[in-house]
């Protein structure tokens, strides 16, 4: 049995408190700052009578809000859609459609999500915007995944992956690979899931995203733990903690510490 060093046990003692402080205070303050900044950009664009930048600013405000205030986000995205239709800004209209689709997905209104995502795709593919098209496929795939249609989810995530690889968006490639790994894992194809998640680790490390790599390492650790490969799992969890410490990611450190403690208890039982 592997024994957890004292410093990791100390992390566990403060983990819940640190997690509470970080999640309850900082995000709300950060969200307000972000929205205030975006509203300032919107006001500047509107004062300059630049309808394109005004529409894009509306979309960005909606994106900032959709995780916490989806109804408010929808108002901004619908206003973006109205303005892009008024000025015949095709790419902006596609962005608004896809953003509205995403909000519907977050609200579990899957039919509406698919409707708007396909509308976005119909506009954006002829424009040759592969990055935006990939996000449309990503959105569509996640709806099928939520509905348990793994075949369609995999098909659309693979389409998003190919586009992202073509344009070299490494972080987006990592997100696609992670989603594909989830599909394989849910179907019991553990080796394929491990292989895809290992690729995610490499990509996040190449882009300097230490926390992203740490999250992927934790996923690998959990999969190994489920197979009873406790020593290998422990090494993944330690690597994850090391990366989050290096990037001083408070929430990540807390989660890593609790994951290690849980692993130690399970391995000892």
């Amino acid at each position: 049995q592997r024994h957890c060093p004292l410093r990791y046990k100390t992390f566990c003692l403060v983990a819940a408190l640190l997690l509470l402080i970080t999640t309850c205070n900082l995000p709300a303050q950060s969200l307000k700052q972000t929205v205030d900044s975006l509203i300032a950009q919107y006001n500047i664009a509107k004062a300059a009578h630049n309808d394109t930048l005004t529409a894009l600013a509306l979309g960005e405000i909606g994106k900032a809000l959709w995780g916490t205030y989806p109804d408010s986000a929808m108002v901004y995205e619908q206003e973006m859609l109205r303005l892009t239709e008024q000025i015949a800004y095709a790419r902006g209209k596609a962005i608004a459609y896809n953003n509205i689709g995403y909000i519907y997905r977050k609200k579990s209104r899957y039919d509406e999500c698919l409707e708007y995502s396909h509308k976005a795709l119909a506009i954006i593919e002829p424009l040759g915007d592969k990055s935006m098209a990939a996000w449309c496929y990503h959105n569509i795939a996640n709806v099928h995944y939520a509905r348990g249609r793994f075949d369609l989810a995999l098909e659309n995530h693979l389409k998003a992956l190919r586009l992202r690889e073509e344009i070299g968006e490494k972080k987006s490639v990592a997100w696609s690979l992670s989603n594909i790994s989830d599909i394989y894992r849910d179907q019991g194809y553990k080796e394929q899931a491990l292989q895809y998640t290992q690729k995610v680790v490499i990509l996040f490390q190449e882009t300097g995203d230490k926390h992203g790599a740490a999250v992927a390492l934790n996923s690998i650790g959990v999969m190994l733990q489920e197979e009873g490969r406790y020593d290998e799992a422990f090494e993944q969890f330690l690597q994850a903690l090391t990366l989050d410490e290096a990037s001083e990611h408070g929430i990540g450190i807390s989660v890593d510490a609790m994951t290690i403690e849980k692993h130690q208890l399970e391995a000892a039982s």
Side-chain angles (χ1 to χ4, degrees), residues 246-259:
S247 62
E248 299 181 347
H249 196 287
I251 294 177
I253 292 170
S254 300
V255 172
D256 298 336
M258 288 186 284
T259 300

Side-chain angles (χ1 to χ4, degrees), residues 49-254:
H49 304 290
N50 189 322
D51 290 334
T52 298
L53 291 182
T54 300
L56 291 173
L58 286 166
E60 289 301 313
I61 295 169
K63 286 169 66 176
L65 292 171
W66 64 25
T68 309
Y69 305 105
D71 292 335
S72 298
M74 182 66 84
V75 172
Y76 282 100
E77 297 301 343
Q78 288 175 335
E79 180 61 18
M80 179 189 185
L81 178 59
R82 184 199 64 77
L83 181 55
T84 54
E85 288 177 331
Q86 180 180 313
I87 64 175
Y89 176 28
R91 184 176 183 276
K93 184 177 179 181
I95 292 171
Y97 274 143
N98 199 52
N99 290 350
I100 290 170
Y102 177 83
I103 296 169
Y104 277 132
R105 180 169 71 80
K106 297 294 285 184
K107 295 164 75 70
S108 299
R109 294 174 59 176
Y110 297 133
D111 288 338
E112 291 98 327
C113 174
L114 289 176
E115 176 189 350
Y116 278 86
S117 297
H118 280 294
K119 283 182 177 180
L121 199 55
I123 295 172
I124 211 67
E125 281 195 315
L127 296 177
D129 189 332
K130 292 182 179 181
S131 179
M132 185 66 201
W135 277 113
C136 294
Y137 283 121
H138 186 108
N139 223 12
I140 293 166
N142 282 335
V143 168
H144 291 307
Y145 178 79
R147 286 178 159 173
R149 296 294 306 275
F150 296 130
D151 54 340
L152 292 174
L154 181 60
E155 177 186 328
N156 283 279
H157 274 310
L158 286 172
K159 287 179 180 178
L161 174 62
R162 293 188 195 102
L163 290 171
R164 287 164 169 169
E165 287 177 332
E166 286 177 14
I167 57 180
E169 288 186 349
K170 287 189 175 182
K171 281 196 175 184
S172 297
V173 168
W175 293 329
S176 289
L177 292 171
S178 181
N179 284 316
I180 292 168
S181 173
D182 288 341
I183 294 170
Y184 281 128
R185 184 180 176 185
D186 286 350
Q187 295 182 98
Y189 301 127
K190 295 182 180 179
E191 282 306 313
Q192 291 94 324
L194 278 170
Q195 290 170 10
Y196 273 90
T197 310
Q198 286 162 349
K199 292 177 182 178
V200 173
V201 173
I202 293 169
L203 283 170
F204 277 133
Q205 288 177 329
E206 288 178 354
T207 60
D209 187 342
K210 291 183 172 63
H211 177 62
V215 171
L217 285 165
N218 273 325
S219 295
I220 293 171
V222 170
M223 284 187 269
L224 293 171
Q225 184 173 274
E226 288 172 350
E227 294 184 348
R229 297 159 65 178
Y230 292 109
D231 285 352
E232 294 173 75
F234 185 80
E235 291 301 328
Q236 303 300 312
F237 295 143
L238 287 185
Q239 287 182 47
L241 179 57
T242 299
L243 288 173
D244 277 329
E245 286 182 310
S247 62
E248 299 181 347
H249 196 287
I251 294 177
I253 292 170
S254 300

Side-chain angles (χ1 to χ4, degrees), residues 14-31:
V14 301
L17 178 60
L18 179 57
L19 186 60
L20 180 65
I21 292 172
T22 309
T23 56
C24 288
N25 294 330
L26 294 184
Q29 180 182 357
S30 176
L31 176 60

